[in-house]
Amino acid sequence: MGLYYSYFKSIVEAPSYFSGLHLIMNDNVTEYPSVINTLKRFNVYPEVILAGLFRIYIATMRAVGIETKICWTVNRGNDLSPVESCEGLGDPAYFYVTLIFILNGAMMSLFYIYGTYLSGSRLGGFMTVLCFFYNHGESTRVMWTPPLRESFSYPFLVLQMSLLTYILRTPTPGRRSLVVLCASNICFMLPWQFAQFVLLTQIASLFAIYLIGYLDSEKFLNILYTHMVSLGLCFILMFGNSMLLTSYYASSLVVICVIAMSREFLKLKMLPLISWILQVLLWILGTIALKALTSTILGVRDDAHIFNILKSKFTSYKDFDTLMYTCAPEFDFMENETPWRYLKTLILPLVTLVFLTICIRTFKDILASSRQNNSRAQHSESWEHSTNGELVYHALQLVAFAVLAILIMRLKLFLTPHMCVMVSLLCSRPLFGWISSRLNRQLFILIIVILMSIQGISNIQSQLNIKGEFSNIAQEELLEWIKFSTKPNAVFAGAMPTMASVKLSTGRPIVNHPHYEDAGLRARTKMVYSMYSRKSAKEVKKALMDMGVQYFILEDAWCTRRTKTGCTMSEIWDIENPSNVGKIPLCSILAKESLPHFVTLFENNVYKVLKVGI
């Protein structure tokens, strides 16, 4: 969060907007001594846009003479210096967070429209929003982590899926709807590097409904072309970020396009089931082959760790980079408590009912089709005019999101809101119209809402009762010492979260940071974290000096903490250096005495600053 916000701060504090933009596009502070274009390397367009809006807002308010913030001094006692606190849109941090909350607040209106359109009932929209708030703690992290990419990106995925629902439902969608779909794709992909994986699941779900006949080839190809155009525009806007072109998403788009354009050839003299299996195999093998080819040609290995993370989920495979992810709780499997929380608000049983209903109807459609004339022409005609395609797509997308959430806990931010959208289908007459003949539909929904509210209202109250304030005196002491005791060009290394704080609050150059998706940065961080291995001080010092590091911030917590078995830094390093197993970790030695290879310049109960070159 600190890393992303630092780019907003840089543009806001620059003499002009364009000088600030030039600064972050020629950045020699984030990965010293390298000069990087952060618009190419990171997804910081939201910060660029918000910083521009902030400068326009401040200039406008000054021109009309309106105060934009109220500030006061907080006396903290305990021999701590007073601090200034400000409230109002004239404060950069307040402005930044407020606009994120406004965007996510507007998303709730979009959820209402989405649920209403999908279900064909305003009650469906109401149910979607109600489920979201009743499961708020499982649906979003925006209240805890506003600067994370999902806070900017996810609202546009909701818009994109709403538009896709409209396109699937409309027999002949116009060009305008495809243009808006393309724009929403761009707005979803630009702020978040993970967006391509979500869109891959969407393309896979659409491919499935295309295969079984719920989506005609012309409409499917138009959707694929729209995705290709939006991907190309993102590639240009990110100054040729090759990770986009070498993604599984890009390869999948190309392979599926070829399959869709060769449909008649692939169906020749084959039963539908064999044709489906053949096309799925062609898609999987073609995507993997094309991905490998483009990655080799362009020399890109930035996303190689993604496959290793998935591999580690199902096998005993481990390496340094994989453990750096899987040892973090948010990248672990879904918590055991999560399904129980879903159960208590009834969202899990309700979604299961909707999902099974869609599956049964789809299965009946397939059986009915198989009983018709076996000629391919009649088969195709009966399926291309089906009106249930968008419902089958949502059911498949639910499965995809569920798999992502089970494998990586933080990705339940896709699953829970989509479950809320699926609940809206309880109000759909095509799916549950039979309820009207036996029980008043409004009464049925009312009973469900009452049952959901038993736990739901309690959940909302628990969320509203969370209040507090932030205080980190130890880090404050560290940052103050850095600002007043080191030169502006002093180069620092240390734990990734701490480095983000050093860059944000002191402006000092750093050699590593928390944006771990880049292969080069992963290699840098691995060298920096050798301080927590069992290597010799001499070997680690040489590695740090080769990187240009002048100061290392040692944290005892990183030396000893363990989120689960095998996850202390020394245990992670044991996977890489089995020959050193049994030796005392270097960080434990330096915590007691830093000489002769390092000199301690600053120390408190959390941090220890070591001078590297002596």
Side-chain angles (χ1 to χ4, degrees), residues 51-69:
L53 292 175
F54 178 79
R55 295 185 75 109
I56 292 171
Y57 172 77
I58 292 298
T60 303
M61 293 300 103
R62 282 177 182 166
V64 297
I66 297 176
E67 288 292 328
T68 58
K69 63 180 178 179

Side-chain angles (χ1 to χ4, degrees), residues 104 107-108 111 127-145 150-151 154-155 158 192 335 338 341-342 345 347 409-421 459 463:
N104 283 265
M107 179 181 70
M108 299 315 302
F111 266 123
M127 290 290 287
T128 298
V129 175
L130 189 70
C131 282
F132 190 96
F133 282 116
Y134 280 177
N135 297 273
H136 190 263
E138 307 295 320
S139 299
T140 180
R141 300 190 300 171
V142 70
M143 60 282 194
W144 307 121
T145 55
E150 66 206 45
S151 301
Y154 184 71
V158 179
W192 198 10
E335 305 163 296
T338 299
R341 295 189 195 111
Y342 288 154
T345 58
I347 190 173
M409 185 267 289
R410 67 175 290 193
L411 299 184
K412 65 183 178 182
L413 75 95
F414 294 114
L415 174 62
T416 313
H418 193 68
M419 290 172 75
C420 297
V421 172
N459 288 351
Q463 294 278 302

Side-chain angles (χ1 to χ4, degrees), residues 317-327 496 516 522-523 525-530 532-533 569 572-576:
Y317 177 82
K318 294 178 183 177
D319 64 20
F320 183 87
D321 294 328
T322 299
L323 288 170
M324 289 298 294
Y325 277 99
T326 56
C327 282
M496 290 184 282
Y516 206 62
R522 292 198 294 274
T525 299
K526 189 174 180 180
M527 292 174 66
V528 169
Y529 278 24
S530 63
Y532 299 100
S533 71
M569 286 305 304
I572 292 174
W573 268 105
D574 288 344
I575 303 295
E576 295 289 321

Side-chain angles (χ1 to χ4, degrees), residues 228 249-259 261 290:
M228 286 180 169
Y249 168 56
S251 299
S252 186
L253 281 174
V254 174
V255 172
I256 291 177
C257 258
V258 172
I259 292 173
M261 289 187 289
L290 185 58

Side-chain angles (χ1 to χ4, degrees), residues 69-83:
K69 63 180 178 179
I70 300 172
C71 297
W72 59 90
T73 300
V74 179
N75 294 311
R76 297 182 291 172
N78 299 321
D79 297 324
L80 297 171
S81 61
V83 293

